[in-house]
Amino acid sequence: MYWCKVAQTEAEFDAIAQLNYETFVEEIPQHEPNALRRKIDRFHHQNTYLVVYKEIELIGMLAFRDQRPFSIDEKIGEVEQYLPQEICSKLCEIRLLAVKKKYRTGRVLLKLTQALNAFAYEKGYSAAVISGTTRQEKLYKQMGFTQFAPAVGSQEAMFLPMVLTRQQFEESLQQRLAKENYTFYPGPVKQNGTILYSELSHRSQAFEALYERMTNRLVQLSGAPYVATLVGSGTLANEVMLGQLKEQQLGRGLILTNGEFGERLHKQAQRWSLDFDVMEQDWGMEFDKQQLDSFFQTNSYSWLLAVHGETSTGTCNDLETLVQLTKRYNVKLCVDCISSFGAMSFSLKECYLATAVSGKALGALSGLAFVFSQALAKPSTTLPAYIDLANYQRGTVPFTMPAVLVGNVEAALQLYPARYGLLQQRFDRLLQLPFMHNQLATSHYPMILTLRCPEALANFTTDLKLNGLFVHGDSKYLRQRNLMQLSVIQPDFEEAIIRLHEILHFYEQIVVA
């Protein structure tokens, strides 16, 4: 099995120095021999090395660098003098392409090229330059590079200044390099089936029947008396929920936060100028039941707002505890269930208001948001029409709603309750993989796993991406805390986890050894 990663261990750097020596001292006489048979590149501390393995043997490499001057600048002068101005806005240099002789196959080269694409393309470089040995001219051309200046060097080691522009890559290579990718994102969810109802009007009787089927299934699944469906994201659903707290003038409330999305609710509530206190807990930690009880004993609250499944940490806040406390103190419970709804079975019957979406654990297309309620809302004279809950509870759809989304959700809901068991099985399999013991949450739920990334896993997210495995780690709040996430909601999870297991089996031996 061939796979790639970013070099980070001392053992990898030693193997790179050895391969560098074998290629650029012994094979291509570019440098003087030495007794150690190691050649450390003079730009070593500026290089990012992408390496390819056969299981746990490092068999190939290339170096990526974007600091000037480039090594090719030193050979021919600044490369800009030879290149069109429009491709010089953001240049990088590729160097030290080397593969052990017995592994010089198209498959290994393709693997390295795909890894380079995954690593560099999204960074927005306008072009990549190399000084390629004439001995490997055919190889560089296969990678898409073209010569842009006269050859330089000695007769024994002649080099060609070559360039690959972003436009050239997009026009001739991108499709050829495309490979089967797998995502562990918590949304949006890939759709494998046919997208139906694209021509169905939301004012037609056929749509009304479809909408009613979806609504009935949502009510049955949630246990809530009423559900309102909006076209938008979970943020919109939460705005509608908070708008009701404002409209009904319920008085002072309490907001619980122990992650990014609890903090977002806090900020939204501030924008609504609601009257509330905040109980904060460390990210990934559950709320203490006795401390909550003490808050209710010493303060008079009318409502409680909390996140059930905290997506940012994978923490499942105990809904049953919140239900018991709010019933004891006659407090209205309002819950963000955006990440948890559809991930596991629970009832919203005791929740005054709750929110969910289509494009998370339900496995449907993103685009619909749901607000569950215990009672019908009274029409408002002050709320904007689009976030007035009463507008969505009159039995008809008040605004344009794509039938495609409604039909997609209705089809996804047909997979319940069996999908609960499927997601739990997937989650249990995920927990068995290497490194999964680094999870952040003290109490999790079968939708998403959040991992702390110690120094040994510093490049983990990037390394997986180089191999076509995409995990959730680019969000600002994750990067700031050195976290990454894997979700189990994608339809190709079974294929993805096999691939992930293969990579982690070898990865663990290299980064932990």
Side-chain angles (χ1 to χ4, degrees):
M1 172 186 169
Y2 298 111
W3 61 285
C4 297
K5 70 182 295 290
V6 176
Q8 69 181 93
T9 69
E10 290 304 318
E12 286 176 316
F13 292 136
D14 184 66
I16 287 170
Q18 184 176 352
L19 181 56
N20 200 14
Y21 185 91
E22 292 171 357
T23 304
F24 300 105
V25 176
E26 295 182 334
E27 183 178 354
I28 303 173
Q30 187 179 353
H31 304 283
E32 292 297 321
N34 62 67
L36 294 177
R37 300 189 72 251
R38 301 290 190 275
K39 178 68 179 76
I40 298 175
D41 185 60
R42 60 196 176 101
F43 296 119
H44 175 72
H45 295 293
Q46 296 177 357
N47 291 338
T48 297
Y49 296 98
L50 304 185
V51 295
V52 60
Y53 279 89
K54 185 177 189 302
E55 298 182 349
I56 60 172
E57 179 188 1
L58 194 154
I59 63 170
M61 68 175 186
L62 59 80
F64 172 90
R65 181 170 168 266
D66 60 8
Q67 297 185 45
R68 305 297 290 269
F70 294 150
S71 66
I72 193 173
D73 289 329
E74 298 173 351
K75 292 183 175 74
I76 64 173
E78 291 187 354
V79 297
E80 285 84 351
Q81 63 184 310
Y82 297 96
L83 297 172
Q85 184 177 355
E86 60 268 20
I87 71 168
C88 295
S89 58
K90 188 176 182 182
L91 299 175
C92 62
E93 183 178 40
I94 311 301
R95 304 175 56 249
L96 307 181
L97 175 61
V99 178
K100 289 184 177 181
K101 287 184 178 181
K102 68 177 180 178
Y103 294 110
R104 289 178 185 172
T105 66
R107 186 178 175 189
V108 174
L109 176 62
L110 176 63
K111 201 73 180 173
L112 265 178
T113 309
Q114 288 175 330
L116 178 62
N117 167 37
F119 181 81
Y121 179 75
E122 67 181 33
K123 298 180 184 296
Y125 292 103
S126 56
V129 294
I130 60 171
S131 52
T133 171
T134 53
R135 304 175 188 219
Q136 298 294 340
E137 181 178 1
K138 182 179 178 180
L139 181 149
Y140 297 122
K141 287 182 176 179
Q142 288 176 341
M143 295 177 71
F145 286 89
T146 58
Q147 186 175 349
F148 68 87
V152 294
S154 64
Q155 186 174 357
E156 294 79 13
M158 190 70 68
F159 293 91
L160 302 173
M162 306 183 83
V163 64
L164 173 62
T165 69
R166 190 176 188 87
Q167 182 178 354
Q168 287 172 325
F169 175 81
E170 291 173 343
E171 291 177 352
S172 62
L173 284 178
Q174 195 168 38
Q175 187 172 359
R176 181 159 63 87
L177 291 177
K179 59 182 181 297
E180 192 170 20
N181 293 325
Y182 299 102
T183 73
F184 291 89
Y185 293 151
V189 183
K190 291 181 182 179
Q191 301 299 305
N192 292 333
T194 304
I195 304 299
L196 303 174
Y197 308 109
S198 60
E199 298 179 358
L200 186 62
S201 168
H202 69 290
R203 298 304 183 198
S204 67
Q205 289 184 342
F207 175 85
E208 289 180 3
L210 179 66
Y211 183 80
E212 183 178 5
R213 292 199 300 273
M214 180 194 72
T215 299
N216 289 340
R217 288 185 182 277
L218 286 169
V219 167
Q220 181 180 7
L221 195 67
S222 67
Y226 303 100
V227 61
T229 302
L230 303 79
V231 179
S233 68
T235 301
L236 174 63
N238 285 339
E239 293 287 3
V240 172
M241 178 167 62
L242 292 165
Q244 284 300 302
L245 295 180
K246 182 70 172 183
E247 175 73 12
Q248 297 177 29
Q249 299 181 353
L250 295 177
R252 192 167 186 79
L254 175 65
I255 299 178
L256 308 182
T257 70
N258 61 345
E260 171 70 16
F261 293 92
E263 292 176 5
R264 289 191 192 182
L265 279 179
H266 177 192
K267 293 175 183 176
Q268 286 179 274
Q270 287 178 321
R271 287 176 175 266
W272 281 97
S273 299
L274 295 174
D275 183 18
F276 60 89
D277 291 329
V278 178
M279 176 186 286
E280 297 182 10
Q281 181 58 277
D282 291 341
W283 280 41
M285 300 299 294
E286 298 176 77
F287 293 98
D288 182 82
K289 185 175 181 180
Q290 292 183 342
Q291 186 181 10
L292 277 169
D293 192 87
S294 176
F295 256 63
F296 284 114
Q297 287 182 17
T298 57
N299 298 275
S300 179
Y301 295 121
S302 298
W303 50 271
L304 172 67
L305 179 61
V307 175
H308 182 210
E310 177 53 75
T311 320
S312 63
T313 63
T315 301
C316 184
N317 292 315
D318 191 348
L319 182 60
E320 185 58 36
T321 292
L322 299 182
V323 167
Q324 293 173 1
L325 285 170
T326 51
K327 288 180 69 174
R328 183 182 309 159
Y329 293 99
N330 194 27
V331 172
K332 290 179 169 57
L333 177 59
C334 304
V335 187
D336 173 339
C337 299
I338 289 167
S339 181
S340 59
F341 186 72
M344 55 187 180
S345 179
F346 56 86
S347 174
L348 296 176
K349 182 179 180 181
E350 303 295 339
C351 296
Y352 186 67
L353 293 166
T355 57
V357 294
S358 58
K360 297 288 186 181
L362 280 180
L365 284 165
S366 299
L368 293 185
F370 311 112
V371 180
F372 301 94
S373 60
Q374 287 181 333
L376 295 174
K378 295 180 180 180
S380 172
T381 58
T382 59
L383 289 173
Y386 202 69
I387 57 175
D388 182 2
L389 182 60
N391 277 338
Y392 299 91
Q393 296 179 325
R394 297 176 180 174
T396 59
V397 176
F399 310 108
T400 301
M401 183 174 294
V404 167
L405 298 181
V406 176
N408 187 259
V409 171
E410 196 272 336
L413 289 167
Q414 293 180 31
L415 302 179
Y416 285 87
R419 183 168 167 83
Y420 290 135
L422 174 66
L423 294 182
Q424 184 63 61
Q425 290 173 9
R426 290 177 170 182
F427 194 79
D428 292 341
R429 287 183 65 187
L430 193 60
L431 289 173
Q432 301 305 312
L433 297 184
F435 305 114
M436 299 304 153
H437 61 279
N438 291 322
Q439 60 191 282
L440 180 65
T442 55
S443 174
H444 45 239
Y445 58 109
M447 190 274 194
I448 194 166
L449 193 67
T450 303
L451 303 177
R452 302 180 185 90
C453 293
E455 185 176 351
L457 300 181
N459 296 316
F460 196 27
T461 300
T462 299
D463 290 339
L464 292 178
K465 185 186 301 184
L466 299 185
N467 296 280
L469 296 167
F470 292 83
V471 299
H472 194 216
D474 292 332
S475 293
K476 183 179 179 180
Y477 63 86
L478 295 175
R479 295 198 309 269
Q480 287 176 337
R481 292 169 174 81
N482 204 25
L483 302 174
M484 61 163 285
Q485 298 182 309
L486 298 96
S487 178
V488 301
I489 65 174
Q490 299 293 342
D492 56 359
F493 176 85
E494 277 70 27
E495 295 83 6
I497 196 171
I498 291 173
R499 177 66 174 165
L500 178 62
H501 194 183
E502 290 174 342
I503 296 293
L504 294 186
H505 172 69
F506 300 121
Y507 195 92
E508 184 179 32
Q509 297 179 63
I510 290 166
V511 302
V512 175

